[in-house]
Amino acid sequence: MGSRRFRTLSRVALGVSVTLLASALYAHGNVTTQAVDTSKLPDIGETLLTKNPYRGNAVAIKIGESAYGQNCARCHGLEAISGGIAPDLRYLDKGEAGDEWYMERYHKGAVRDGKVYMPPMGDTLGQKAGWAIRAWLDTKHQE
């Protein structure tokens, strides 16, 4: 009788734990972005671009790798390999085909049913950092 009761309590505890963990993973709390030094990148102006001006730029790729590690990896995974919490960014459309969608999400974030799945990053990090991250992500692309 005691063993059966223990198993029942264990299942209840496991169910509560999974529910609490899922709630924490699917709704961002406050996220503090880390500054990105883009001073070594060419100026691209204030107008929001729809094509990456830094594609293939080695300096931008290096800055993008660092910026990704500081601001994106906690959800999207190290080296853009997701553990399932957020989309695996290696599978974004490569090149111009995915630029517009990427920057839309980067600037506006993702909110569903009032839950923030990804905070908007554009106003905080800026367009140059966003394109640098995108340039680095293109180097990680997989089909």
Side-chain angles (χ1 to χ4, degrees):
M1 179 77 169
S3 175
R4 188 168 138 202
R5 186 173 181 194
F6 176 77
R7 282 187 296 222
T8 301
L9 288 175
S10 295
R11 287 182 185 139
V12 169
L14 178 62
V16 169
S17 298
V18 168
T19 300
L20 291 174
L21 178 61
S23 296
L25 293 177
Y26 287 113
H28 266 286
N30 292 331
V31 174
T32 303
T33 54
Q34 302 300 308
V36 177
D37 180 5
T38 58
S39 63
K40 293 180 181 175
L41 295 175
D43 190 28
I44 55 175
E46 298 298 317
T47 303
L48 295 180
L49 304 177
T50 58
K51 295 179 185 172
N52 192 348
Y54 301 137
R55 182 166 288 109
N57 179 315
V59 173
I61 291 168
K62 186 160 182 66
I63 290 170
E65 179 179 18
S66 175
Y68 177 90
Q70 294 172 43
N71 293 290
C72 312
R74 72 187 109 202
C75 296
H76 291 284
L78 296 174
E79 297 294 312
I81 302 168
S82 177
I85 294 173
D88 190 311
L89 299 179
R90 296 173 299 160
Y91 301 109
L92 290 176
D93 287 340
K94 188 174 182 178
E96 290 181 18
D99 284 352
E100 191 171 351
W101 180 90
Y102 167 82
M103 284 308 270
E104 174 86 10
R105 184 60 50 101
Y106 174 79
H107 282 286
K108 294 184 179 179
V111 177
R112 287 189 297 272
D113 299 326
K115 293 179 183 162
V116 177
Y117 287 79
M118 178 180 156
M121 304 297 257
D123 289 343
T124 309
L125 295 179
Q127 179 174 219
K128 288 171 74 173
W131 285 124
I133 293 167
R134 175 73 174 147
W136 177 76
L137 285 171
D138 273 351
T139 71
K140 296 297 176 186
H141 179 76
Q142 292 188 7
E143 292 296 328

